[in-house]
Amino acid sequence: MESPLNGYSASDIQVLEGLEAVRKRPSMYIGSTSPKGLHHLVFEIVDNSIDEAVGGFCNHIQAIIHTDNSVSVCDNGRGIPVDIHPQMGIPALEVIMTTLHSGGKFGGSGYNISGGLHGVGLSVVNALSLSMEITVKRDGYVYRQRYQTGQPIGKVEQCGMTDETGTEIHFLPDPDIFEITVFEKEIIEQRLRELSFLNKGLRITLLDEREEDAKIKDFHYDNGLKDFVTYINKKKEVINEIPIYFESQKDDVIVNVVMQYNNGYNESLYSYANNIRTQEGGTHEIGFKNGLTRVINDFARRNNFLKESDANLSGEDIREGIVAIISVLVKDPQFEGQTKTKLGNSFIRTIVESSVFESVEDYLNENPVIAKKILDKAISARRAREAARKARELTRRKSALESTSLPGKLADCSSKEAHLCELYIVEGDSAGGSAKQGRDRNYQAILPLRGKILNVQKARLDRVLASEEIKALITAIGTGIDEDFDIKKARYHKLFIMTDADVDGSHIRILLLTFFYRYMRQLIEEGYVYIAQPPLYGLKRGNEINYFHKEEDMNQFLSESNKKWTLQRYKGLGEMDAEQLWDTTMDPDKRTILQVNIDDAIRADEIFSDLMGENVQARKDFIQANAVYVTNLDI
Ligand code: 0RA
């Protein structure tokens, strides 16, 4: 079939056309020519070495970002074959570098497990590189070949002897193709770390030669996914110190799963197919969820955690606080979805589901203490969800039937223009009373909350939701909660949490923030939530008072004043009268306020779980940190 034509063979022409197509439409092959596409090139090259590692032929991959923003990736695998390809009549190496989708054809057993998202082949990287140099060590020799924009600029050359094996690829992305050709170390680093977690025992190193004093970063995890989950949970209080881990193989599918519960409320699932993060989930993730829900319910029934009349625990309840990593290796992965990050092979679902069921069942039977903790957590998650549902229904019913019925305790403002209105959520009826008298009733509303009811030590979030106080708060704010939440219905665009400067006050503030974070998060995201900052000290002389939030500021003032002052310490809001409260804390011209951001809320949520959880040390730390306020508290 191959007839020479001006020195080119038919297959050469095909090759050139192939790579030209990649240069014409790069986005079809690598998604985009943005920085994301640029980094894809590195991942594509690394993935080829990873395949070699998955096959068991390589245990070290080195990546270097050079000063000119070229990158080299070097592995100690078998080396890309260089022998003449029987059909093409050129070295296999050259075929791999110049033909689209040629990788798999040369496969030994390991090579078939190749990624879908990247998996476009070395030829695509070659086509999009200004220059590329491949060095192969195998069969006792070093071989080298160079390319420019995908074209070989010489034959594969034998250049020396070696007793090592491996492949080194050095490439410089083409600035005519990419918007930017500067690599971001962090992006590469993150993926390399992830890959080393996913491939236990594999060592991946990264050197960024653009940095002064560049140091080699070394990623190497002997416990693979177990180390991954520990890394994700490193700042959390965990329920099962030793992660639940299992590995199984069925019909050429290898399944690795690890899970560890923390005492938080989030669900973190990371799923991978052939080392590619499946952001959109897929059959392996569904299999995991089904298997886990079934096995936990099954165990709960057999061990009387659930009564006969109880409904099953939902998957969401069971996954509260879980960090799980599901990694599958599949011969022929089908990637679907918007971003091709959803695993489609349907047989994977049953394989993962049954292995999760069997392994977790064994684990629960062997670890009854941890099993109980996991079940207790799921059951309290359900209780919280139930309470949220009831509270939701209640607010829903209220707004349907009697839309104007605001809570009796609320002293509303007269303006109905939400963007001008402020709600002060005040700890205690007596401070509430002063605030009512002191406020500007045109635009300031007051809702007193009885602190004791809310005391975090005694009330879990589900019970808090059921409390009259919180129901009143929900109705006053007007947005509804959770799924019903609608920020457009907010009756105030500023919400001030005003609590005493003592441990109880801190508890209540944390509880309210946690409540907003978990049920009305957008209020925080949109910057509606503030902390009111009443002063802690007053220096009084006759009719004159100077207020201070900080002791240093007061001492500074005293050192500069040669008069005699009487010190007033405000431990509770109740110690200030209406006028003082207005002057110091509510008058927009004079008050000091603190806008709450999402990080504050996340921190509050963490402290809340610490206070509620079994972390006695955290509870002690909290009290210690707030010890200035503690007079005689028994916790
Ligand atoms: C095809 C066949 C063989 C290895 C490879 C490709 C290979 C490709 C890359 C890309 C980066 N590093 C690599 N290492 C190996 C197997 C050849 C044999 O049977 O010895």
Side-chain angles (χ1 to χ4, degrees), residues 48-49 52 75 78-81 96 106 111 122 138 167:
N48 282 279
S49 299
E52 198 63 2
D75 68 52
R78 292 168 295 178
I80 301 178
I96 289 178
F106 300 85
Y111 201 67
L122 298 178
R138 63 180 276 150
T167 305

Side-chain angles (χ1 to χ4, degrees), residues 45-52 57-58 73-75 77-81 92 96 102-103 105-108 111 122 138-139 166-169:
I45 303 276
V46 171
D47 281 355
N48 282 279
S49 299
I50 292 284
D51 283 339
E52 198 63 2
F57 305 110
C58 145
V73 176
C74 177
D75 68 52
R78 292 168 295 178
I80 301 178
I96 289 178
S102 60
K105 283 188 216 156
F106 300 85
Y111 201 67
L122 298 178
R138 63 180 276 150
D139 309 328
T167 305
E168 179 176 343
I169 297 176

Side-chain angles (χ1 to χ4, degrees), residues 52-279:
E52 198 63 2
V54 169
F57 305 110
C58 145
N59 64 8
H60 190 184
I61 300 171
Q62 290 168 273
I64 302 172
I65 311 171
H66 300 284
T67 47
D68 61 352
N69 271 292
S70 63
V71 165
S72 23
V73 176
C74 177
D75 68 52
N76 64 349
R78 292 168 295 178
I80 301 178
V82 290
D83 44 316
I84 302 295
H85 188 268
Q87 280 98 51
M88 307 280 223
I90 49 172
L93 168 64
E94 195 170 328
V95 178
I96 289 178
M97 297 316 295
T98 53
T99 358
L100 292 176
H101 305 293
S102 60
K105 283 188 216 156
F106 300 85
S109 64
Y111 201 67
N112 287 334
I113 295 195
S114 181
L117 182 62
H118 311 136
V120 286
L122 298 178
S123 56
V124 167
V125 182
N126 188 22
L128 302 177
S129 294
L130 201 56
S131 63
M132 189 146 170
E133 180 181 277
I134 301 97
T135 309
V136 169
K137 293 181 205 163
R138 63 180 276 150
D139 309 328
Y141 293 97
V142 181
Y143 301 91
R144 185 165 293 133
Q145 190 177 28
R146 295 196 176 86
Y147 290 83
Q148 271 171 7
T149 59
Q151 320 283 344
I153 50 168
K155 291 188 182 335
V156 176
E157 273 175 40
Q158 209 186 65
C159 46
M161 302 191 66
T162 180
D163 52 7
E164 296 176 351
T165 63
T167 305
E168 179 176 343
I169 297 176
H170 182 180
F171 71 101
L172 179 69
D174 189 342
D176 286 344
I177 302 277
F178 292 95
E179 293 162 23
I180 298 173
T181 49
V182 179
F183 286 104
E184 264 179 62
K185 181 189 174 199
E186 284 67 31
I187 297 178
I188 295 175
E189 182 178 332
Q190 199 184 337
R191 174 67 180 154
L192 296 185
R193 179 184 292 110
E194 182 179 48
L195 281 167
S196 62
F197 278 131
L198 289 165
N199 295 280
K200 74 171 163 225
L202 173 64
R203 160 164 274 126
I204 306 182
T205 52
L206 172 64
L207 178 65
D208 185 351
E209 292 180 340
R210 299 168 305 180
E211 294 174 345
E212 252 177 74
D213 279 335
K215 286 198 185 66
I216 294 179
K217 289 220 165 181
D218 192 334
F219 306 112
H220 178 221
Y221 300 100
D222 280 328
N223 298 311
L225 294 188
K226 278 185 253 177
D227 290 331
F228 198 175
V229 95
T230 318
Y231 176 81
I232 296 169
N233 266 333
K234 66 173 179 273
K235 287 195 183 143
K236 301 267 161 101
E237 173 89 356
V238 296
I239 289 175
N240 53 315
E241 195 64 55
I242 298 168
I244 304 172
Y245 173 77
F246 59 89
E247 192 176 341
S248 69
Q249 178 159 16
K250 232 182 242 169
D251 311 337
D252 282 340
V253 179
I254 298 170
V255 180
N256 279 276
V257 172
V258 65
M259 43 195 270
Q260 188 178 49
Y261 281 91
N262 61 50
N263 67 357
Y265 306 104
N266 292 329
E267 166 184 339
S268 310
L269 294 189
Y270 300 82
S271 67
Y272 297 85
N274 296 2
N275 289 315
I276 287 162
R277 173 87 191 269
T278 35
Q279 203 94 43

